[in-house]
Amino acid sequence: MARPACALREAARLLATATERARAGAGRLVLLRGATGTGRTTVLEAAAEDGMRVLRARCYVGDAAVPFAAILQLLGPLAVFADLPLDGDERVIGAGLWRTLRSYAEESPLLITVDDVHLADPASRRWLVETVRLIDRLPIVLVATERSQYDVDPPAPGLAHSLSPALVTTHTLTPLSDDSAVAAVRSAFPDADNSWIADCVRAGAGNPLLLRALLDDLSDGSHPVVPDTSAALYPGAFPAAVQWWLDCAGPGTAEVARTLAILDEGWNHKPAPGTEGHSAVHIPSLLAELSDADPARVTGWITAMTCLGLLRTDDMGRARYAHPLLRDAVLTGVPAARRRAAHRTTAEMMLHHGASSDLVARQLLLIDAVNAPWALPVLQDAASLALHEGQIEDAVAFLRRALNEPLSDEVRQRLLTELGSLEYAVPGSSAAILRLTEALRLPGPPQERVRAAVALGTALTGRGRTRAAVEVLRSLYDGLADRPDLVRILRQACLQLSDKDQAVRQEAYERLADVAEHSPVSISAAGHAFLVKYSVTAGLRSAKDAMLRLRGLLAEPTDPLSEPYLLGTAAVVALWADELDEAELLVERGLAGQRPDVLHPMHEALLNTRMDIVAARADYATLLADPPPVSATPTNAHAHAVTALVETGRALEAEHLSDTFDLRTAPESWELNRFLYARGRLRAANGDPAGALHDFLECGRRESAREAFSPVVTPWRTAAAECHLALGVSRDALALAAEELRLARVWNTPRTVGRALRVLGTATGGRRGLELGQEAVRLLRDGPAGPELVAALLALGRQLTASGESSRARDILREAAVLAERHGAVRLRDLAEEALRVGGARRAATRTGAAALTDSERRIAELAAEGRTNTEIADLLHLARRTVETHLTHSYRKLGIRRRGALSAALSGSDTAGTSQVGDLEDAR
């Protein structure tokens, strides 16, 4: 790679001027200065092509002990040297050499080039200085190159140190600019993409020598990305060039450079949030201490290398190598033992100076066990910090490293449980179950063994091995005969995990029922809560009775280990009872008591209940704010996503999501049943009642096999009845709707009873059907207003239209359309507007304004109007920030505003004043 033309032109201009002056008898010194690798020799060789007689010399480190070694290269071999005793008087020798040089100059103008004059032997340097003082009246131009890089070891004075500026023309070669480096890379690789070129430029670090060597190594085109390690390069010109750069810098600089590279290894990850700028360690001082150098010189070296481009400052203000490949090349040949020692010393110093545990732990990741009391707490604290910030893979790395330290069985068991729990959450990791199995085998305290067993059982269940999970938990019963409190915890975990498998669930509840019958006092409050939940799903208990019983259990003193099971179970029943606010409080209490670093069966259950609460509020925007998790089998999140997409008029997206799963291979679970129900709703919305009926009946078969008969679990009967009606099979529809109404009246909440009345009324028809439909609307008006009320209004409006009461029907259908719009229920809104057109309304339009806001949109808009930020609202309502932003976007559109400052005025207006109806519904005349 040639030196960029602009640098050559500038140097050539200076040399041309000096040459012309020399030809006129006014010689002088031209000193070309620059850092190692900036092309001093290249420029010097170009100057030697000027046409003048040239005398050349190149200085070497080994010549320092040979007097006049550089001058011998210039003037010898000449006969005159045979008469000069080079070990004699330096002045006599110098005078003889001067006479020889002058005789040359009398024959023709001379160009003398001395490369790397800073390496010249002392005698040669003194002679050159004296010569410069004498050539101002001779046709001689002396061109010398001198290294001017800032080094940790102070350099000797330069050649021009004692010369008058009038005798010297100095030119400093600067590093390559990014533009020049890009041009050089593109010249060598014209088809390379911009990112690859940018990587080359960073690795070349503005140094022509390094960039040329790198391009030589990459010339075979076998590197689609610029490698991070020198081992990937062949023939290795780049690492050789870096070693040359270090050798030229001297031992002190090389030591500091390599030490910085060692430290840089521990800075590969971004610091944890909240630790930026708080390293508490002055990097130059640390480098100086580690390499036994002068701190002031180290600070200067870092500044100089940053200006040259070899170092760059990161977000924490730390000097780092411009590219990992450059760092790796600097480390070439550094023994692993030395690296480990440096990382340990660095970790101790950072800890001593108060650096964050995250920064200290990253140094420990690069070494083996330090066997020091401070190491384990640092790694554990760093893991906790990473986990708090959602950096699970970092937390896993810290805990894996912690296992290398000498540990007691108890501590190792605890660490293995935490590590296995976190590895379970890392996609693609297969180590979780092995870690947790190892933890369970260690002879730790009983409570730690139970914690490990519960975590292992949760992981096994998550992998579809529910029976194996339950067997693991039951295997501990006999060994804990003297700890009935811990046995109860294991039984509760078995009950919760058994929900994933029909056969295991039946066995677990049969055992619980048997214990309750023969020894009820041995069952904890959480165990009784499970029995309440089971009786609810079996259709044997009312909502009022169930909530009364559960509130009593919640008021009793509870073992902290049992509390998550009690809270989670009570939250589910409160959700079914439409006590949504109470259910939400119970969920948040339960989640607040969960340890994020230990797998627990109630954690996923609480998250699912939170999602069910959002669905019960018909908050489709929140349900769709984040994509459901990647999974081989459908989950609760997938079921809710399909339903929300259907209800918001995005059936094609729902169909695409549904088609990603082959339900024939999915294991038995309540989540599969829920997904079948969601797919049935999708098929019904798409006009496939036969396909929908198949899904609803299959869902019902599976739920009945689980003894989950109550419609609070899945209202599959009414859904199937509507399919029968669409297919013209009214008898089966009546039977299913009547059975659901019977079960719904046992539970006796407006939502369940109203839904059953609606469908039974449609199936019955006539005056009796109209009475049932009206009863459904009255009942649902007293419950949580939502899509169920919209569906009841829609059914009643259709019945009224069919009975000839068109005017009354239109009023009902208008209300249905408005409510559907408020909840974002696009499917129901479209059906209501279609029913209006059938009933004689000329046009149907969507209502906007404050009245059109859903409950969630209004709550968020009101908080925003109070001046709260999106982040504050998200924290207050336990929502994702993106969910808040989505709700506000919808609110702005409905309110017809564009600015946050307009929210207060838009919300304070009356429904009528804040309502815009484009094309109001008009009666047909």
Side-chain angles (χ1 to χ4, degrees):
M1 181 191 74
R3 179 72 173 167
C6 58
L8 290 175
R9 283 196 301 270
E10 177 66 16
R13 183 183 63 78
L14 292 173
L15 291 171
T17 300
T19 300
E20 290 303 316
R21 289 171 57 93
R23 286 193 171 107
R28 66 188 295 104
L29 168 65
V30 177
L31 187 60
L32 299 175
R33 307 178 77 242
T36 300
T38 51
R40 300 188 311 267
T41 301
T42 301
V43 175
L44 190 67
E45 290 174 351
E49 299 173 1
D50 189 72
M52 298 175 68
R53 183 178 182 183
V54 181
L55 302 180
R56 292 184 174 88
R58 177 169 294 166
C59 305
Y60 300 93
V61 175
D63 293 342
V66 181
F68 294 104
I71 308 307
L72 288 174
Q73 290 186 55
L74 287 175
L75 303 179
L78 298 172
V80 65
F81 285 111
D83 301 328
L84 289 174
L86 297 180
D87 57 350
D89 190 306
E90 187 175 310
R91 292 189 177 185
V92 174
I93 298 171
L97 294 173
W98 166 250
R99 287 193 296 272
T100 303
L101 179 63
R102 186 166 183 170
S103 66
Y104 279 177
E106 290 173 352
E107 296 176 6
S108 64
L110 291 179
L111 172 62
I112 302 175
T113 66
V114 182
D115 200 8
D116 291 337
V117 72
H118 55 282
L119 299 178
D121 61 278
S124 293
R125 286 173 60 84
R126 288 189 289 269
W127 186 86
L128 288 170
V129 169
E130 291 303 319
T131 298
V132 171
R133 292 193 177 105
L134 299 173
I135 63 173
D136 60 330
R137 295 183 181 180
L138 291 176
I140 299 175
V141 57
L142 172 58
V143 184
T145 67
E146 185 174 69
R147 184 176 178 278
S148 60
Q149 187 169 304
Y150 189 99
D151 294 321
V152 173
D153 294 326
L159 182 66
H161 175 70
S162 60
L163 292 172
S164 167
L167 301 175
V168 183
T169 298
T170 301
H171 177 68
T172 301
L173 297 172
T174 58
L176 287 174
S177 67
D178 283 349
D179 289 343
S180 297
V182 167
V185 179
R186 196 172 294 285
S187 174
F189 296 91
D191 298 328
D193 61 55
N194 291 336
S195 62
W196 191 87
I197 291 175
D199 252 5
C200 286
V201 171
R202 285 179 54 214
N207 188 290
L209 172 69
L210 300 185
L211 184 58
R212 180 175 63 247
L214 175 62
L215 296 182
D216 287 346
D217 282 342
L218 301 177
S219 61
D220 62 359
S222 62
H223 296 280
V225 296
V226 178
D228 287 349
T229 61
S230 299
L233 298 177
Y234 182 82
F238 182 78
V242 172
Q243 292 307 306
W244 169 256
W245 176 79
L246 290 172
D247 291 343
C248 291
T253 298
E255 179 70 13
V256 171
R258 291 184 173 113
T259 303
L260 177 59
I262 293 171
L263 297 183
D264 198 344
E265 285 184 303
W267 299 337
N268 277 344
H269 294 77
K270 287 187 176 181
T275 63
E276 295 90 338
H278 295 84
S279 67
V281 175
H282 185 239
I283 301 302
S285 299
L286 177 62
L287 274 175
E289 185 167 344
L290 290 171
S291 56
D292 195 23
D294 179 358
R297 296 294 300 181
V298 172
T299 301
W301 179 80
I302 290 175
T303 301
M305 295 305 101
T306 303
C307 292
L308 288 175
L310 280 90
L311 301 181
R312 297 190 180 188
T313 304
D314 68 5
D315 295 339
M316 289 188 65
R318 300 174 302 194
R320 303 191 63 181
Y321 282 94
H323 192 277
L325 178 61
L326 179 58
R327 179 189 66 207
D328 186 74
V330 171
L331 284 172
T332 299
V334 177
R338 181 188 165 196
R339 296 192 197 187
R340 290 194 296 268
H343 286 303
R344 170 171 179 151
T345 302
T346 300
E348 289 181 296
M349 291 179 61
M350 293 174 77
L351 184 66
H352 176 72
H353 289 284
S356 72
S357 57
D358 172 76
L359 298 175
V360 178
R362 293 202 183 280
Q363 296 295 323
L364 295 180
L365 288 178
L366 299 167
I367 59 178
D368 299 327
V370 299
N371 195 15
W374 54 266
L376 180 61
V378 163
L379 290 162
Q380 289 178 304
D381 189 54
S384 297
L385 178 62
L387 186 59
H388 177 73
E389 298 298 336
Q391 306 295 328
I392 296 180
E393 293 186 3
D394 284 350
V396 166
F398 292 135
L399 292 183
R400 284 176 179 168
R401 170 59 184 81
L403 288 175
N404 293 338
E405 296 295 325
L407 305 170
S408 65
D409 285 343
E410 179 179 351
V411 174
R412 182 171 294 278
Q413 185 176 58
R414 189 181 308 121
L415 277 179
L416 284 168
T417 301
E418 294 172 8
L419 178 56
S421 297
L422 294 181
E423 286 177 326
Y424 177 81
V426 176
S429 175
S430 59
I433 291 176
L434 293 176
R435 301 272 192 200
L436 294 170
T437 302
E438 183 183 354
L440 184 59
R441 289 173 178 166
L442 288 174
Q447 189 163 319
E448 289 301 327
R449 295 198 71 215
V450 169
R451 194 190 304 273
V454 170
L456 176 57
T458 305
L460 288 169
T461 302
R463 298 290 188 258
R465 300 166 59 187
T466 304
R467 184 167 295 280
V470 171
E471 289 173 356
V472 165
L473 298 176
R474 289 174 179 166
S475 68
L476 271 64
Y477 287 2
D478 292 342
L480 295 172
D482 59 336
R483 293 294 304 271
D485 56 328
L486 295 181
V487 173
R488 282 196 294 269
I489 299 302
L490 293 172
R491 294 186 194 277
Q492 292 160 18
C494 284
L495 288 167
Q496 183 59 41
L497 294 176
S498 69
D499 248 3
K500 293 282 189 177
D501 185 283
Q502 173 182 316
V504 177
R505 179 178 184 270
Q506 186 172 355
E507 293 173 11
Y509 277 96
E510 285 176 357
R511 289 171 183 261
L512 180 63
D514 183 65
V515 174
E517 181 180 354
H518 296 93
S519 180
V521 294
S522 66
I523 299 178
S524 66
H528 285 292
F530 276 110
L531 286 173
V532 171
K533 177 184 170 186
Y534 186 83
S535 65
V536 169
T537 61
L540 303 175
R541 192 186 289 260
S542 70
K544 181 179 180 180
D545 177 59
M547 289 306 299
L548 183 65
R549 176 65 173 138
L550 285 172
R551 286 168 181 151
L553 293 172
L554 288 166
E556 295 178 6
T558 306
D559 177 3
L561 293 178
S562 292
E563 187 176 46
Y565 299 98
L566 175 60
L567 293 172
T569 306
V572 172
V573 177
L575 162 69
W576 290 338
D578 282 334
E579 300 288 351
L580 302 185
D581 290 341
E582 184 174 355
E584 191 169 44
L585 289 173
L586 290 169
V587 167
E588 298 311 319
R589 278 181 58 191
L591 289 173
Q594 291 284 300
R595 283 186 55 178
D597 55 344
V598 176
L599 275 177
H600 194 284
M602 283 310 301
H603 182 73
E604 182 184 357
L606 288 164
L607 293 178
N608 276 320
T609 304
R610 177 194 274 174
M611 196 183 311
D612 294 345
I613 294 169
V614 174
R617 289 175 171 149
D619 190 351
Y620 303 125
T622 299
L623 288 173
L624 298 175
D626 295 306
V630 177
S631 173
T633 56
T635 66
N636 189 39
H638 293 100
H640 281 309
V642 169
T643 300
L645 289 169
V646 169
E647 294 305 317
T648 53
R650 298 157 63 182
L652 285 177
E653 294 176 59
E655 193 168 355
H656 176 73
L657 176 57
S658 174
D659 289 345
T660 59
F661 298 105
D662 182 357
L663 301 191
R664 294 171 300 180
T665 61
E668 293 273 355
S669 75
W670 66 269
E671 290 180 292
L672 173 60
N673 300 349
R674 184 164 289 184
F675 190 81
L676 277 167
Y677 179 78
R679 193 176 71 174
R681 293 181 66 172
L682 168 62
R683 288 176 167 176
N686 283 345
D688 178 15
L693 179 62
H694 174 273
D695 282 342
F696 292 139
L697 293 178
E698 179 62 17
C699 172
R701 183 189 68 78
R702 292 168 180 268
E703 291 288 19
S704 298
R706 289 165 54 88
E707 298 183 346
F709 304 117
S710 174
V712 300
V713 181
T714 310
W716 62 270
R717 294 178 184 84
T718 47
E722 289 182 300
C723 293
H724 278 306
L725 288 174
L727 294 169
V729 188
S730 58
R731 178 181 298 178
D732 290 347
L734 279 168
L736 286 168
E739 175 63 10
E740 179 148 321
L741 179 58
R742 182 188 70 79
L743 290 165
R745 289 199 185 280
V746 174
W747 182 240
N748 201 29
T749 59
R751 192 192 298 262
T752 53
V753 177
R755 181 194 303 116
L757 285 169
R758 166 178 61 84
V759 178
L760 182 59
T762 301
T764 302
R767 181 171 297 277
R768 176 56 182 161
L770 193 59
E771 292 173 354
L772 292 171
Q774 290 171 332
E775 184 183 352
V777 170
R778 284 196 302 272
L779 193 62
L780 286 166
R781 286 193 192 282
D782 296 333
E788 285 297 345
L789 176 57
V790 176
L793 289 167
L794 177 58
L796 179 59
R798 286 169 170 168
Q799 287 175 291
L800 288 168
T801 299
S803 66
E805 300 184 54
S806 298
S807 178
R808 186 181 168 199
R810 285 193 289 271
D811 290 339
I812 293 292
L813 292 172
R814 284 192 188 99
E815 183 183 357
V818 170
L819 280 176
E821 175 64 21
R822 286 186 60 184
H823 286 280
V826 176
R827 183 185 69 86
L828 290 174
R829 181 202 64 192
D830 291 347
L831 290 173
E833 292 184 345
E834 180 185 354
L836 276 164
R837 285 189 290 270
V838 171
R842 291 179 183 174
R843 289 178 294 169
T846 300
R847 188 176 181 181
T848 59
L853 299 180
T854 66
D855 292 342
S856 296
E857 288 168 350
R858 177 177 288 277
R859 186 164 63 251
I860 290 172
E862 288 172 348
L863 290 170
E866 293 173 4
R868 297 182 185 269
T869 66
N870 290 359
T871 301
E872 290 171 341
I873 296 171
D875 292 342
L876 185 65
L877 300 181
H878 306 289
L879 299 173
R881 179 174 175 175
R882 191 165 67 176
T883 302
V884 174
E885 294 168 351
T886 301
H887 278 66
L888 285 175
T889 299
H890 292 168
S891 300
Y892 287 177
R893 185 181 67 247
K894 292 178 181 180
L895 296 171
I897 62 175
R898 296 184 177 181
R899 296 181 295 105
R900 201 182 192 95
L903 273 172
S904 182
L907 291 170
S908 63
S910 66
D911 285 353
T912 302
T915 299
S916 167
Q917 294 197 27
V918 183
D920 284 345
L921 297 171
E922 296 179 0
D923 292 342
R925 300 297 182 189

